[in-house]
Amino acid sequence: MAEHFTEQIVFNKPKIELHVHLDGALRVETILDVAKRRGIPLPAYTVEDMRRICVIHQPATLTEFLGKFAEYMHVIAGDREAIKRIAYEFVEDKAKEGVIYVEVRYSPHLLANTDVEPIPWNQEEGDLSPDEVVHLVNQGLAEGEKTYKIKARSILCCMRHMPSWSMDVVELCKKYKKNGVVAIDLAGDESLNCEAFPGHRMAYEEAARCGIHRTVHAGEVGPASVVKEAVEVLKAERVGHGYNTLKDQVLYKQLLEQNMHFEVCPISSRLTGACHPDFTEHPVITKDKANYSLNTDDPLIFNSTLHLDYSTAQEYMGFTEEEFKRLNINSANSSFLPEKEKKDLVNELYEAYGMIGQ
Ligand SMILES: O=c1[nH]cnc2c1ncn2[C@H]1C[C@H](O)[C@@H](CO)O1
């Protein structure tokens, strides 16, 4: 587990997760297995050693954290079997954590090796396009859903440093809207690119025009102005992280009034240096009755589970059983499911939490 924090199951009830990266949620065992099959050299060959390389152990910076992906993404990218497998295993892992609905995000371009410029992770050009990546992830998720009886949808990420990919991303969201893709996201290093490039803005305009749901990583390490831009220019319906919103109280109050949903990731926020390392100082906004979810973000790199985020929230941030229920109901209400499915999900939680008729 991350540093000395210990995982306990403090909320053993159905949960919703809205902010988790597929490529940050792989099993180390799978990376080793695929590398062996493909004959790809790794910096380590045991689970323990490879985990040590992938994991962030001490609070670092977002830029350092994002560097961790380069340790293993070349193993999975460009390989059809591996991509389908990680999607399937992801659903299994979430089901084991008691998640009944998850929205998982990734960049199709970062898993492809053709129709992408530049080809990521120093791969040789191959024949796996971002379009086929989405198809494969959809298949893996759908098979996982069938086996583990939970619901999994996906969000496609634009990357802050690659505005030239963003129009492709929104086109993929449109194409696969009926096949499990529910929204567009903008991820990557906002500390390097604070203002969204025109490529991102155009993609988000098109998303809004076509009824594609929108979330944006903003105010994680970047200033509150990035959140303002996400909401006002990119028309974000949810904010990924958003911690620095609190530094602009006018904006924060406005977003509270709008019932804006914040995708909060406690363990992540500490290890990426986004928030104060002392969890008691974390700007999670329980006292304001804000609308937010609790999420793992990148459990491989934080060596974490959703249970660890919950137990940390309970132990250091004063979360109660009632707050866990409230935030999960808010999460279901803020999911990007169609209205009818959303209503059913909310009712499922009410029932599981013994809140029928409230
Ligand atoms: O916490 C994060 N902030 C910004 N970008 C992130 C975070 N976690 C993962 N990413 C990036 C790296 C992944 O390759 C990409 C798509 O999942 O999104």
Side-chain angles (χ1 to χ4, degrees):
M1 269 325 118
E3 292 179 80
H4 55 281
F5 297 104
T6 46
E7 174 195 290
Q8 283 171 355
I9 301 180
V10 298
F11 188 63
N12 198 13
K13 297 199 162 63
K15 291 177 279 298
I16 311 293
E17 188 168 10
L18 300 180
H19 188 124
V20 51
H21 293 257
L22 179 62
D23 51 335
L26 312 185
R27 297 177 185 169
V28 176
E29 291 82 352
T30 302
I31 299 170
L32 292 173
D33 211 33
V34 176
K36 192 168 167 200
R37 169 171 61 75
R38 299 182 74 191
I40 295 177
L42 284 177
Y45 293 96
T46 67
V47 172
E48 296 71 44
D49 290 348
M50 192 58 198
R51 194 183 304 285
R52 208 166 299 122
I53 288 165
C54 295
V55 164
I56 286 223
H57 300 274
Q58 296 292 332
T61 64
L62 186 67
T63 314
E64 282 171 89
F65 149 73
L66 289 170
K68 289 284 183 186
F69 287 82
E71 302 286 0
Y72 61 83
M73 281 294 278
H74 60 291
V75 175
I76 306 296
D79 190 87
R80 291 177 172 80
E81 192 183 316
I83 290 169
K84 200 171 148 181
R85 172 174 172 183
I86 60 168
Y88 181 85
E89 290 178 347
F90 173 83
V91 179
E92 179 180 7
D93 293 344
K94 287 297 140 188
K96 284 190 177 144
E97 291 178 336
V99 171
I100 58 164
Y101 175 67
V102 61
E103 287 174 8
V104 61
R105 61 188 72 195
Y106 63 99
S107 157
H109 294 77
L110 289 178
L111 287 167
N113 63 12
T114 193
D115 288 355
V116 50
E117 175 56 45
I119 297 174
W121 319 114
N122 292 320
Q123 294 173 94
E124 303 260 307
E125 170 136 33
D127 61 358
L128 184 57
S129 64
D131 189 317
E132 201 189 337
V133 167
V134 177
H135 181 69
L136 290 162
V137 172
N138 289 346
Q139 279 187 338
L141 295 178
E143 286 176 23
E145 284 186 291
K146 245 195 224 146
T147 311
Y148 298 103
K149 311 276 181 280
I150 70 168
K151 207 173 242 203
R153 297 290 179 269
S154 59
I155 297 175
L156 304 186
C157 297
C158 304
M159 299 303 299
R160 287 236 172 226
H161 67 295
M162 290 308 307
S164 59
W165 294 350
S166 293
M167 281 312 286
D168 272 8
V169 176
V170 73
E171 289 305 320
L172 291 170
C173 290
K174 284 156 66 177
K175 178 169 177 183
Y176 290 104
K177 197 176 172 184
K178 292 210 161 41
N179 279 299
V181 175
V182 291
I184 193 166
D185 177 36
L186 176 55
D189 204 336
E190 63 168 329
S191 65
L192 302 181
N193 296 295
C194 264
E195 209 171 306
F197 291 115
H200 303 315
R201 292 205 296 270
M202 276 159 49
Y204 271 73
E205 251 169 46
E206 178 66 0
R209 197 182 68 77
C210 299
I212 303 292
H213 287 296
R214 299 160 306 280
T215 179
V216 173
H217 280 72
E220 179 182 18
V221 298
S225 59
V226 184
V227 180
K228 200 173 166 69
E229 183 197 51
V231 175
E232 291 178 2
V233 180
L234 303 178
K235 310 283 184 225
E237 300 160 275
R238 298 198 318 230
V239 176
H241 303 277
Y243 317 114
N244 288 333
T245 312
L246 277 89
K247 296 196 175 135
D248 177 344
Q249 280 295 310
V250 174
L251 176 66
Y252 180 53
K253 293 222 165 76
Q254 181 194 322
L255 296 185
L256 282 181
E257 267 164 36
Q258 288 174 19
N259 200 34
M260 176 59 70
H261 183 88
F262 294 92
E263 301 160 358
V264 171
C265 312
I267 299 292
S268 159
S269 69
R270 179 173 190 278
L271 291 170
T272 59
C275 292
H276 197 287
D278 178 352
F279 278 118
T280 61
E281 308 266 320
H282 195 284
V284 173
I285 16 341
T286 46
K287 61 182 184 309
D288 297 326
K289 291 287 171 215
N291 173 7
Y292 62 90
S293 45
L294 283 187
N295 308 280
T296 53
D297 202 10
D298 298 279
L300 164 64
I301 301 178
F302 304 127
N303 197 22
S304 66
T305 63
L306 194 55
H307 293 308
L308 184 64
D309 279 289
Y310 275 68
S311 53
T312 302
Q314 189 199 55
E315 191 170 347
Y316 298 96
M317 302 175 191
F319 276 54
T320 60
E321 172 96 356
E322 284 318 299
E323 186 63 15
F324 288 140
K325 289 180 181 174
R326 192 188 75 86
L327 78 88
N328 274 284
I329 289 164
N330 276 336
S331 306
N333 272 315
S334 304
S335 73
F336 290 142
L337 283 171
E339 285 308 314
K340 165 80 174 78
E341 284 181 66
K342 194 191 284 194
K343 236 179 159 179
D344 291 346
L345 184 63
V346 172
N347 284 334
E348 197 177 335
L349 290 184
Y350 276 134
E351 201 166 317
Y353 298 166
M355 296 166 76
I356 289 287
Q358 288 191 11

